[in-house]
Amino acid sequence: MTDQIARPGKIIAIHLSYASRADQRGRRPAAPSYFFKPASSVGVSGGTVERPAGTELLAFEGEIALVIGTAARRVSLDEAWAHVGGVTASNDLGLYDLRANDKGSNVRSKGGDGYTPLGPELIDARTVDPAALRVRAWVNGELRQDDTTAGLIFPLAQLVADLSQHFTLEPGDVILTGTPAGSSVIVPGDVVEIEVDAPDAPGAPSSGRLITTVVEGDVPFDAELGSLPAVDDLQRTEAWGSAEAAGLVATTGEESQNAAPAPTVAAIPDPSGLSPELRAKLLEAPTAGLSAQLRKRGHHSCFIDGVAANIAGTKIVGTAKTLRFVPFREDLFASHGGGYNAQKRAFDAVDEGEIIVIEARGDATTGTLGDILALRAKARGAAGVVTDGGVRDFDAVAEIGLPVFSQGAHPSVLGRKHVPWDVDVTISCGGATVQPGDIIVGDGDGVIVIPPALVEDVVDAALAQEIEDAWIAEQVAAGHPVDGLFPLNAEWRARYEAQR
């Protein structure tokens, strides 16, 4: 490689750019968004990358890297590709254990030494069609990623043109163009290979294989200097690529065969009081099935109405830590709204696996948390937040990755409609009574509250019903009418039991 690639002036990376990766994450951006990586993160083929001591979620990302050949400033889409000098392979390595406190900047999670290996060879950009490039990644010889630029949400030239609107792209600058689905966790001893090629171009030019070996670090982070690594089930899911691959839910059949190997993690007591086995069951069970079982047991007021996930596809499970807001009153806000108020105390004290549930009286016209508090909850290992009010800094909170169920976005700050009043008390949220320690489960259908004494019975019954419903669905798909089948009458029940 040239000296310019070995030490670029700027490295700009895009967050989400492939449709396959966006679909995996459950969110598709309307426009590209970026972050910078330091030049000191550049590595070469044949090198090593360290997984720091005390961390578990180092992930590889096979990417196409563009190397700027001539300066580009405010270039058009049609002109943009002419400013690319070369194309090569890159591995946009990231440490999910450090992602929470970076608020999307990825400074620490993706800026480590050796976290941007490039090469080994440059493909002349003039000889290839940017819409017909391929990127592949192997881990220990097994193909894990295989996609082409035909699967991009944003064409490569658009990234160049867009960035040139904001600053000059200089010769040697590198643009990392995103990773497709298949990125996952790697561990010490793993060998990652990335290759970019143009199989349909004359001579099928290739970058060659970019090879990186993972090694174990032995120097822990210093808590006196900055934030420590922290992970939760959301970070594990996103690092591994799915909850199944992360070992958070059971898999069967073809899906489990194709998943990445599950991590080996020692059983650690959950501060929230949920055992790992019970949490895994709740993650697998849909809220619709859980609520049906609650209704069978006479619990009809288990729904937190009016809230939806800020990030589509989010599933949350945890125990409730409650925060109560009362209606705004000037004298009460003067005495309770400032300083180390109840809102700050709740977010400062939430434990790993807990969900902060906020009573905002169903008023969506004010924010009940913002990015700073979301960041604090994330760092503490909170499983999420449920509020029947609004969320300010909505996009930033989503980027932090803290699961939040709310009534939507609102830009106002504290002091417009609410006074933060108390924590760890019985509250009303979305029409449901919530007590500290109640079990909270949320998914695409909404959020429900389960009394702790019922949770084992309810989740086991819900999972059993899911199996039965899947069998019924097979019969309906085979052409049987639903009468007598859904729900099962005596005849169909006997068939079901016999086939089980």
Side-chain angles (χ1 to χ4, degrees), residues 19-232:
S20 61
R21 175 77 157 179
D23 293 344
Q24 191 178 43
R25 288 287 176 87
R27 56 185 186 270
R28 184 171 294 207
S33 63
Y34 311 94
F35 58 94
F36 283 105
K37 298 188 74 170
S40 56
S41 69
V42 168
V44 297
S45 186
T48 62
V49 64
E50 179 184 293
R51 188 185 73 174
T55 64
E56 64 172 272
L57 299 180
L58 178 66
F60 74 92
E61 294 183 6
E63 303 197 11
I64 297 169
L66 309 182
V67 182
I68 298 300
T70 58
R73 176 63 169 146
R74 296 193 178 97
V75 299
S76 69
L77 188 60
D78 291 339
E79 301 168 329
W81 189 250
H83 292 268
V84 178
V87 177
T88 193
S90 64
N91 190 346
D92 184 16
L93 291 150
L95 189 65
Y96 282 70
D97 309 64
L98 296 177
R99 194 167 72 152
N101 283 355
D102 276 347
K103 295 177 64 176
S105 73
N106 292 331
V107 170
R108 290 164 291 187
S109 61
K110 284 182 169 285
D113 290 352
Y115 277 37
T116 315
L118 297 167
E121 303 296 334
L122 268 179
I123 301 171
D124 188 337
R126 296 169 298 180
T127 67
V128 295
D129 178 358
L133 295 171
R134 177 173 64 174
V135 59
R136 291 177 292 172
W138 296 260
V139 178
N140 301 327
E142 178 186 350
L143 184 65
R144 294 288 187 84
Q145 290 182 295
D146 187 353
D147 210 335
T148 70
T149 46
L152 285 169
I153 302 170
F154 313 109
L156 298 181
Q158 180 181 343
L159 306 183
V160 177
D162 181 25
L163 289 168
S164 78
Q165 296 184 100
H166 303 285
F167 46 77
T168 299
L169 294 170
E170 300 171 318
D173 286 350
V174 171
I175 302 173
L176 305 183
T177 61
T179 197
S183 163
S184 193
V185 170
I186 46 179
V187 299
D190 283 347
V191 178
V192 184
E193 300 173 84
I194 314 291
E195 182 181 7
V196 170
D197 64 355
D200 298 327
S206 168
S207 67
R209 292 206 181 181
L210 172 66
I211 302 172
T212 306
T213 302
V214 185
V215 298
E216 184 71 85
D218 57 8
V219 180
F221 292 101
D222 188 343
E224 298 296 320
L225 299 179
S227 58
L228 293 178
V231 298
D232 58 18

Side-chain angles (χ1 to χ4, degrees), residues 294-295 298-305 429-434 448-449:
L294 283 169
R295 291 196 300 275
H299 284 258
H300 303 284
S301 301
C302 58
F303 305 101
I304 297 180
D305 291 328
C429 182
T433 297
V434 182
I448 61 170
V449 183

